Amino acid sequence: NLGSGVIVSEDGYILTSNHIIEGADEVKIVMNSGRQLSAEIVGTDPPTDTAVLKVEASDLPAITLANSDKIEVGDVVLAIGNPFGIGQTVTMGIVSATRRSTLGIVDYEDFIQTDASINPGNSGGALVDAEGRLVGINTAILSRTGGNMGVGFAIPINIGRYVMEQMVSDGKVSRGFLGVGLQPLTPELADRFEIEDLPGALVTQVEESTPAGETG
């Protein structure tokens, strides 16, 4: 499999997409200079499609991390990656939307949407702002052809940072949870249940042996 990644620390930590390295027996990093390094999988988090790798190196060119909560629709962004294996490529676009969810891509969805060209091979690559700071990890596209159609999604770097810090310190990601299934409370459902206040959420399922199930 072939994809992209982002060096986030000088001592060799790399963020990428889980679906790139899932099931891999061996992972190799090829830098833009041609330098090759073997990577260890520190941990994976399929619910966010995030993976953390580590290479034995020092003084690597690490990217600066931004605060992805502060990006706004219309901000200029650039997607960096290795589309179709042709080599490092940079494309430009804007932030089309933030907090995109209910797409059915991963369990925890809070995507940055962009029209910067993202193609197969770009997954795991950097989405940076106009100052070159990392705001997201490119992870998916919506397409009827398999190629770019201007609707791409990136994991906000605040989520990536959270996953990486827990992986490095604890070897896993721990999250609080309720144990319920939810869906948006649409105007039609609100009318059916005679609820006047919108927006909201409808509990569709309560799983057994979870906090919600045990408390009724």
Side-chain angles (χ1 to χ4, degrees):
N1 204 7
L2 181 67
S4 303
V6 188
I7 300 171
V8 293
S9 72
E10 293 183 354
D11 59 348
Y13 282 101
I14 296 170
L15 277 176
T16 187
S17 296
N18 174 65
H19 72 264
I20 293 173
I21 56 89
E22 190 172 25
D25 297 317
E26 184 180 17
V27 179
K28 288 191 175 182
I29 305 300
V30 182
M31 300 179 67
N32 196 41
S33 63
R35 182 183 181 187
Q36 294 191 26
L37 298 167
S38 294
E40 169 197 358
I41 300 175
V42 176
T44 62
D45 187 43
T48 60
D49 192 30
T50 306
V52 182
L53 309 177
K54 178 70 166 64
V55 295
E56 293 300 323
S58 60
D59 298 323
L60 293 176
I63 198 167
T64 300
L65 307 188
N67 181 355
S68 54
D69 288 342
K70 293 188 176 182
I71 65 169
E72 298 180 344
V73 174
D75 285 352
V76 173
V77 287
L78 297 95
I80 305 174
N82 185 11
F84 303 107
I86 63 173
Q88 181 169 292
T89 301
V90 181
T91 56
M92 185 178 73
I94 64 168
V95 174
S96 304
T98 60
R99 308 195 70 87
R100 281 288 192 228
S101 60
T102 65
L103 299 171
I105 298 173
V106 291
D107 294 338
Y108 293 95
E109 296 184 338
D110 190 18
F111 292 122
I112 301 166
Q113 182 182 328
T114 179
D115 66 348
S117 183
I118 297 174
N119 287 289
N122 273 109
S123 288
L127 187 72
V128 304
D129 62 15
E131 297 181 34
R133 300 173 301 182
L134 184 66
V135 297
I137 303 294
N138 301 317
T139 189
I141 59 174
L142 289 184
S143 174
R144 295 177 178 174
T145 64
N148 174 63
M149 295 186 71
V151 184
F153 301 101
I155 302 161
I157 192 53
N158 285 6
I159 292 178
R161 181 192 290 115
Y162 172 81
V163 169
M164 181 178 69
E165 289 174 350
Q166 290 212 50
M167 288 290 186
V168 172
S169 63
D170 303 328
K172 63 179 182 179
V173 179
S174 299
R175 297 182 175 92
F177 73 104
L178 294 175
V180 298
L182 300 172
Q183 74 176 59
L185 184 63
T186 64
E188 293 79 12
L189 286 171
D191 184 62
R192 176 180 175 185
F193 289 108
E194 299 181 351
I195 297 173
E196 296 181 358
D197 294 331
L198 288 174
L202 178 67
V203 176
T204 59
Q205 179 185 8
V206 177
E207 299 178 15
E208 297 181 0
S209 302
T210 67
E214 292 174 358
T215 56

